[in-house]
């Protein structure tokens, strides 16, 4: 797994061996010297587009620079391609993209996700990526994901990260039988606007009558008092 701390240490050695101050390197990169300090300490990673410039400044290959962070073969392939502006990358192992998500822009992840979508994406991976992806990309990935085996705990973790469109898509999957209808109990606190649709689905026979019990438990406590949001 790519280690930004090891990358930072390597960058620091390159700068010192070149007898260059952090401010001098910052000027060449058009960033602040504080940013360079954070790179070297492993507190953050430079924009991937800067990697090519760093390689040129210190006279090393892009591969040497990337490999200083000890990436997997797949991570190295992704970083190398993105650094030179090639986003049309076939990601063989989705976990490589998950590992790199914290250091890649949402727009880059969106482009990489397109190739993954064609292969089908495990819902667990979407949960891991959701906080780094824009809403449109999350929805796109969810369209081809298999939700049948999703665990309640995993859905609980995913829901706070989703927009209305994504939550509505989950409800549609429940109605279509792709997900257990009992999961409505987990969905409802994050999507109370679906209440009338749940009631309508019961009337139409798309959901069992027991789904109304889930609504009752959500809105009323054991003493018969209405819960307040």
């Amino acid at each position: 797994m790519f280690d930004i701390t090891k990358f930072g240490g390597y960058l620091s050695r390159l700068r010192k061996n070149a007898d260059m101050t952090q401010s001098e390197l910052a000027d060449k990169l058009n960033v602040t010297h504080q940013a360079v300090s954070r790179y070297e300490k492993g507190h953050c990673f430079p924009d991937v587009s800067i990697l090519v410039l760093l390689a040129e400044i210190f006279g090393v290959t892009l591969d040497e620079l990337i490999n200083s962070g000890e990436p997997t073969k797949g991570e190295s392939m992704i970083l190398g391609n993105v650094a030179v502006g090639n986003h049309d990358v076939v990601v063989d192992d989705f976990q490589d993209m998950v590992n790199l998500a914290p250091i890649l822009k949402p727009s880059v992840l969106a482009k990489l996700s397109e190739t993954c979508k064609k292969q089908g994406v495990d819902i667990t991976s979407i949960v891991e990526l959701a906080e780094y992806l824009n809403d449109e990309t999350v929805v796109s990935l969810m369209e081809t994901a298999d939700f049948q085996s999703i665990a309640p705990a995993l859905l609980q973790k995913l829901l706070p990260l989703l927009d209305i469109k994504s939550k509505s898509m989950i409800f549609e999957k429940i109605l279509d039988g792709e997900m257990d209808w009992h999961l409505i109990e987990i969905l409802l606190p994050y999507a109370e606007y679906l209440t009338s649709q749940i009631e309508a689905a019961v009337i139409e026979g798309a959901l069992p009558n027991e789904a109304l019990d889930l609504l009752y438990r959500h809105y009323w406590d054991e003493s018969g008092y209405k819960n307040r949001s």
Side-chain angles (χ1 to χ4, degrees):
M1 181 175 175
F2 189 79
D3 189 329
I4 64 171
T5 301
K6 292 179 180 178
F7 170 86
Y10 181 67
L11 177 60
S12 178
R13 290 193 296 275
L14 287 174
R15 177 184 59 77
K16 293 172 184 176
N17 290 341
D19 195 26
M20 190 182 298
T21 67
Q22 289 184 338
S23 293
E24 288 174 329
L25 178 56
D27 288 341
K28 292 179 180 293
L29 299 176
N30 197 29
V31 298
T32 65
H33 74 274
Q34 291 93 338
V36 171
S37 176
R38 291 195 294 272
Y39 299 158
E40 294 186 354
K41 292 177 181 178
H43 292 170
C44 66
F45 190 74
D47 188 288
V48 179
S49 61
I50 291 179
L51 294 181
V52 173
L53 181 56
L54 282 170
E56 292 176 353
I57 290 172
F58 295 116
V60 298
T61 67
L62 182 59
D63 284 343
E64 286 176 311
L65 194 60
I66 291 173
N67 289 333
S68 68
E70 299 183 4
T72 65
K73 183 177 179 180
E75 290 171 350
S76 179
M77 182 272 295
I78 293 172
L79 284 175
N81 277 278
V82 172
V84 296
N86 177 24
H87 299 141
D88 188 20
V89 181
V90 177
V91 179
D92 293 325
D93 187 344
F94 200 75
Q95 188 59 46
D96 288 326
M97 196 168 81
V98 172
N99 294 341
L100 293 177
I103 64 175
L104 296 178
K105 291 182 177 180
S107 58
V108 172
L109 289 171
K111 293 175 181 177
L112 294 176
S113 296
E114 280 302 307
T115 60
C116 297
K117 179 183 175 182
K118 296 173 184 177
Q119 304 171 42
V121 182
D122 181 81
I123 185 60
T124 303
S125 297
I126 295 179
V127 173
E128 293 182 273
L129 272 177
E131 66 177 295
Y132 305 107
L133 299 173
N134 55 44
D135 292 338
E136 183 179 348
T137 305
V138 173
V139 171
S140 178
L141 289 176
M142 286 175 59
E143 288 175 348
T144 57
D146 181 4
F147 279 75
Q148 287 187 330
S149 59
I150 188 171
L154 196 60
L155 182 61
Q156 182 78 54
K157 186 177 179 181
L158 177 64
L159 284 169
L161 305 173
L162 301 181
D163 64 357
I164 291 178
K165 186 175 181 179
S166 300
K167 294 170 188 173
S168 297
M169 182 183 295
I170 287 178
F171 182 59
E172 289 299 321
K173 288 181 179 292
I174 291 175
L175 292 182
D176 292 341
E178 294 182 45
M179 297 173 66
D180 187 341
W181 67 267
H182 292 87
L183 293 174
I184 289 175
E185 189 168 16
I186 297 175
L187 174 62
L188 195 55
Y190 300 95
E192 291 189 339
Y193 57 87
L194 291 173
T195 297
S196 59
Q197 295 181 51
I198 293 172
E199 293 172 334
V202 171
I203 293 174
E204 295 170 2
L207 290 174
N209 290 331
E210 288 81 0
L212 295 178
D213 294 333
L214 298 182
L215 286 179
Y216 184 89
R217 286 201 297 271
H218 175 72
Y219 286 109
W220 300 86
D221 63 22
E222 294 180 355
S223 303
Y225 289 97
K226 193 176 190 306
N227 293 321
R228 296 181 181 274
S229 302

